[in-house]
Amino acid sequence: VQLVESGGGLVQPGESLRLSCAASGLAPGDYAIGWFRQAPGKEREGVSCMRRSDGSIYYGDSVKGRFTFTSDNAKNTVYLQMSSLKSEDTAVYYCVASFAAYVCGFLNRPEEFDYWGQGTQVTVSS
C-alpha cells in the first residue's frame, strides 16, 4: 500500500485548501481511508475517514462543517477540501488507510490505521 499526499501550503485564516492523496494497493474490496493531522507538540488527531464499501464518511469534531472528504475512484485518489481555515488547523496532514474498514469509527485511535503517507504541511497564518 502506498499513500502519497499533495496540496499542502501556506494560507491565510479564512481561506481554503484542498489536499490530495493518491492511493495504490488498496482496491478491490473494503477498506478505510482518511486523514489524520499532527501539530507541533500535540498528539495525532483524526480528521476524516471514508469506508470504501458504502461510502460512509466520518469527521472529527473540530473540523465538522468546515472540511469535506471526497473521492475519485477512477483515479484512486481521495481529497480533503478544507474551508474557513484557522490557525489551529496548522499541522502536518497524513493520509491513512487500513484494510479493517471498521476503524473509520475510531478516529481517536491512530494506532488502528496500518498505512500512513509521508505527510504534507499545512500552515494557516496571516
Side-chain angles (χ1 to χ4, degrees):
V1 175
Q2 282 195 319
L3 306 169
V4 181
E5 307 97 333
S6 61
L10 172 64
V11 296
Q12 295 188 350
E15 292 186 340
S16 299
L17 196 64
R18 188 179 79 160
L19 304 182
S20 301
C21 172
S24 60
L26 287 172
D30 197 13
Y31 55 85
I33 186 166
W35 297 89
F36 271 74
R37 67 185 182 184
Q38 188 167 26
K42 295 188 176 181
E43 295 184 351
R44 292 173 292 180
E45 178 188 8
V47 176
S48 185
C49 183
M50 180 187 75
R51 183 164 183 163
R52 176 66 179 89
S53 61
D54 62 8
S56 299
I57 298 174
Y58 302 75
Y59 294 98
D61 289 341
S62 62
V63 305
K64 284 180 181 176
R66 299 188 300 123
F67 290 12
T68 303
F69 185 107
T70 60
S71 65
D72 184 334
N73 295 331
K75 295 182 178 179
N76 292 321
T77 300
V78 299
Y79 306 93
L80 184 69
Q81 178 67 47
M82 305 184 292
S83 303
S84 302
L85 283 162
K86 307 173 182 179
S87 58
E88 50 263 45
D89 294 317
T90 295
V92 177
Y93 283 71
Y94 298 92
C95 186
V96 299
S98 172
F99 287 110
Y102 70 89
V103 303
C104 266
F106 296 95
L107 283 176
N108 60 333
R109 294 168 61 176
E111 66 273 16
E112 297 287 347
F113 292 81
D114 299 312
Y115 303 99
W116 291 67
Q118 82 286 354
T120 186
Q121 176 71 46
V122 172
T123 303
V124 184
S125 175
S126 56

